[in-house]
Amino acid sequence: MATRLWLSLSLAALTAASAPAQDARSALQAAAKAMGVENMRSIQYTGTGWQGMVGQNVAPDQDWPRVDLTSYTRTIDFDTMSSREEYVRAQGNNPPRGGGAGFPFLTPQKVVNFVSGNVAWTLNAQGQPVAQPDAAELRQIEVLTTPYGFLKGAMAPGANPTMATRREYDQRVTVVSFVALGKYRINGTINAQNMVQRVQTWIPNPVVGDLYYENVYTNYHNVNGVQVPRFHQHQDYDDGGSLPNVSGGDHAFGLETISDVRLNVPNAAVTAPDAVRTAKPQPVRVETQKLGEGLYLLAGGSHNSVAVEFTDHVAVIEAPLNEERSLAVIEQVYTLMPNKPIRYVVNTHHHWDHLGGIRTYVHEGATVITHEGNKPYYQEVLRARPWVLQPDRFALHPPEEWSEGYIFETVREKYALTDGSRTVELHSIQGLAHAVGMLIAYIPREKIVVQADLYNPAAAAPNASNRTFQQNLRRLRLDVATIVGIHGPPAPMAQFQGFVTKTQ
Ligand SMILES: [Zn+2]
Ligand SMILES: [Zn+2]
């Protein structure tokens, strides 16, 4: 009896180990046949929809701010793993609340993105190719998470897909899973009609780590022999199912109508221009400008920081972008002010491009100073947990004080950092559509205001953020000589006053 039981158990184990690969292949083949992918070497689809500005919501509990995609065309060549994505985005009737480069869009903006194998690039406003080495893997993941790219990727030699079944949307479905590019687990749900109805994966992100990325495909219909769905993409989770809603951003992309689909289009494969293929990744540069005694602007990239020296410590205003940028800035702070710890990092607002270095500073031992409204989000999203795809120092050896909430100082209206001689005042900006809980720093000795996203001297015409900033400076009665931006060079107050009162 015992032997028999052991035999049947080991048979069951054998079946469980070997069956999924075979079953996964048949599930994929059935889907490829039903969806018209069997003889597909390339596809081009055209439509209209919307895009969400990921990491740029007006408040942490809100969805990503949206713009309309008034035209959208993607062309994918599967043999060369190349893709050309071209779209025009416009503000439309979407609320102009939140942020992101160029948001809200006063005029429509055209974007063209490419990938060819391991090379990614875009076109600038003049139509010149610009290398984007950091986007190469993500662009390939975009292709592999289309319904067609998923089937192609899972059936490619060496993909070794596995399979599980479950109930989803009141149907028994098949989930086929494979690992792409050596590290991205991609799961596709194939429904009872053999349609790919969901493809999910995770992508590395400096703020939330392994960022959840999923496409939901519904409303399939036949166009020129291919099954074409409604495209609906989430990036990150909306946790509104359990109040309070701490992290509300999720809607990232959608195609609501598809007007044209072509198969095996001529010249679908794109080749990377030589200038792009041979482009070297730009090293992080930190350029120091002295603003006063023990007061430094640390520039040299798209986002600046400001370092302030106190008697026995340093405060850094803003930790933007990512760990790489932050480590370079921190090293420069220690070169300028040896033997003084970075005790505080001031965060102006919660947008991801201004938040991506916060973990590096906390790992360095700094206390975060931010608006009180941001604390639940920062605690939840930045909690110590494993980051599998691209672990940062904080993930590899987390300081436990972070998860227990000890390393925050929060601001409601006003907060002062002072050692008796050097003072930095933090003030909360009111009535701003770009982000709630925005802080500015006022440094009385040099009459400097440090601000993020409220004024960039490179801008052509004044916007709502500029006007709100001016109203707040008046309300706070600050005696300002110079405006120092997290973006762009410092500017005299008179230049800002002239700019903001300019009529368009
Ligand atoms: Zn912003
Ligand atoms: Zn910004």
Side-chain angles (χ1 to χ4, degrees):
M1 187 67 191
T3 313
R4 229 194 207 160
L5 183 61
W6 182 88
L7 256 178
S8 61
L9 275 176
S10 66
L11 265 176
L14 268 175
T15 316
S18 59
Q22 185 54 46
D23 290 355
R25 271 193 293 276
S26 26
L28 290 163
Q29 278 158 6
K33 188 171 195 301
M35 291 184 53
V37 176
E38 281 178 313
N39 300 311
M40 183 187 293
R41 295 187 309 282
S42 66
I43 188 170
Q44 180 178 76
Y45 47 91
T46 300
T48 57
W50 50 268
Q51 184 182 46
M53 304 273 134
V54 175
Q56 301 290 336
N57 43 3
V58 65
D61 64 348
Q62 301 292 302
D63 201 359
W64 309 134
R66 280 194 198 192
V67 292
D68 291 347
L69 297 174
T70 55
S71 71
Y72 181 95
T73 299
R74 192 192 272 276
T75 311
I76 302 170
D77 181 70
F78 295 102
D79 294 339
T80 57
M81 188 43 133
S82 67
S83 161
R84 176 195 164 99
E85 180 194 44
E86 178 170 343
Y87 56 85
V88 174
R89 52 188 178 192
Q91 194 61 37
N93 293 323
N94 301 287
R97 287 162 58 79
F103 186 93
F105 295 107
L106 303 175
T107 54
Q109 188 187 45
K110 181 178 167 177
V111 179
V112 192
N113 293 326
F114 297 91
V115 65
S116 177
N118 293 318
V119 185
W121 69 103
T122 190
L123 299 184
N124 64 16
Q126 290 74 43
Q128 304 297 319
V130 178
Q132 294 181 308
D134 293 344
E137 287 193 350
L138 176 58
R139 295 269 162 80
Q140 293 175 71
I141 294 300
E142 286 176 5
V143 170
L144 292 169
T145 55
T146 64
Y148 322 108
F150 169 73
L151 294 175
K152 295 274 185 190
M155 289 191 292
N160 297 320
T162 58
M163 193 197 100
T165 63
R166 70 173 177 216
R167 280 188 80 75
E168 189 176 297
Y169 299 151
D170 217 23
Q171 265 193 348
R172 198 78 205 165
V173 298
T174 302
V175 181
V176 176
S177 183
F178 72 105
V179 176
L181 309 178
K183 63 177 175 183
Y184 298 92
R185 174 160 297 282
I186 301 185
N187 304 319
T189 301
I190 299 170
N191 66 19
Q193 292 73 45
N194 290 317
M195 299 293 126
V196 176
Q197 71 180 22
R198 180 199 302 270
V199 183
Q200 67 180 183
T201 190
W202 294 260
I203 56 177
N205 176 276
V207 174
V208 297
D210 299 342
L211 168 65
Y212 185 65
Y213 181 104
E214 87 168 357
N215 289 298
V216 179
Y217 299 116
T218 54
N219 297 48
Y220 272 101
H221 57 286
N222 187 314
V223 185
N224 300 334
V226 183
Q227 287 293 329
V228 180
R230 170 175 174 262
F231 290 65
H232 188 93
Q233 184 187 89
H234 300 141
Q235 290 191 36
D236 210 356
Y237 297 104
D238 171 12
D239 69 357
S242 54
L243 292 172
N245 188 349
V246 171
S247 167
D250 70 336
H251 290 98
F253 171 79
L255 287 182
E256 301 295 338
T257 59
I258 303 274
S259 54
D260 192 24
V261 179
R262 294 172 199 212
L263 272 200
N264 302 334
V265 280
N267 307 317
V270 289
T271 312
D274 281 345
V276 162
R277 202 150 10 93
T278 56
K280 299 251 184 305
Q282 295 293 313
V284 173
R285 278 185 312 144
V286 181
E287 288 169 3
T288 304
Q289 183 182 340
K290 193 168 177 178
L291 301 169
E293 212 45 57
L295 183 63
Y296 303 96
L297 177 66
L298 302 167
S302 60
H303 293 61
N304 308 328
S305 299
V306 173
V308 190
E309 183 170 17
F310 291 89
T311 313
D312 60 359
H313 66 273
V314 178
V316 174
I317 303 169
E318 209 75 317
L321 296 176
N322 53 36
E323 181 176 72
E324 193 186 14
R325 172 87 201 160
S326 301
L327 288 174
V329 170
I330 288 170
E331 191 181 299
Q332 181 63 2
V333 168
Y334 288 150
T335 305
L336 292 164
M337 292 161 279
N339 307 316
K340 290 196 179 178
I342 300 173
R343 187 165 295 159
Y344 300 105
V345 58
V346 176
N347 162 256
T348 61
H349 66 305
H350 70 282
H351 288 164
W352 283 5
D353 58 318
H354 292 259
L355 189 58
I358 216 83
R359 291 168 59 100
T360 319
Y361 282 83
V362 173
H363 182 267
E364 194 55 36
T367 290
V368 175
I369 307 179
T370 191
H371 191 269
E372 63 177 9
N374 291 332
K375 187 176 173 178
Y377 177 65
Y378 289 15
Q379 269 194 291
E380 183 60 33
V381 174
L382 308 180
R383 195 176 295 279
R385 58 164 72 97
W387 288 20
V388 175
L389 291 165
Q390 208 176 91
D392 63 359
R393 293 177 173 205
F394 187 99
L396 292 172
H397 11 82
E400 69 148 359
E401 295 82 358
W402 174 272
S403 282
E404 295 179 346
Y406 287 121
I407 48 74
F408 283 102
E409 291 286 325
T410 57
V411 183
R412 181 171 296 172
E413 289 301 328
K414 184 179 174 182
Y415 187 99
L417 285 164
T418 185
D419 60 5
S421 75
R422 169 60 83 188
T423 297
V424 176
E425 294 175 8
L426 304 176
H427 295 277
S428 167
I429 294 288
Q430 296 177 358
L432 184 68
H434 182 85
V436 300
M438 174 70 83
L439 299 182
I440 58 170
Y442 178 63
I443 307 173
R445 191 193 293 166
E446 286 81 7
K447 300 185 179 179
I448 281 175
V449 161
V450 182
Q451 56 77 28
D453 299 349
L454 300 176
Y455 173 53
N456 187 334
N463 62 22
S465 294
N466 305 146
R467 288 186 282 272
T468 304
F469 180 38
Q470 186 194 39
Q471 286 154 12
N472 277 270
L473 290 179
R474 283 196 191 132
R475 173 181 64 86
L476 296 165
R477 300 178 203 279
L478 301 179
D479 180 13
V480 180
T482 308
I483 296 176
V484 172
I486 299 303
H487 302 288
M493 182 63 176
Q495 183 182 327
F496 171 69
Q497 294 289 19
F499 173 79
V500 77
T501 50
K502 208 164 81 173
T503 46
Q504 279 172 276

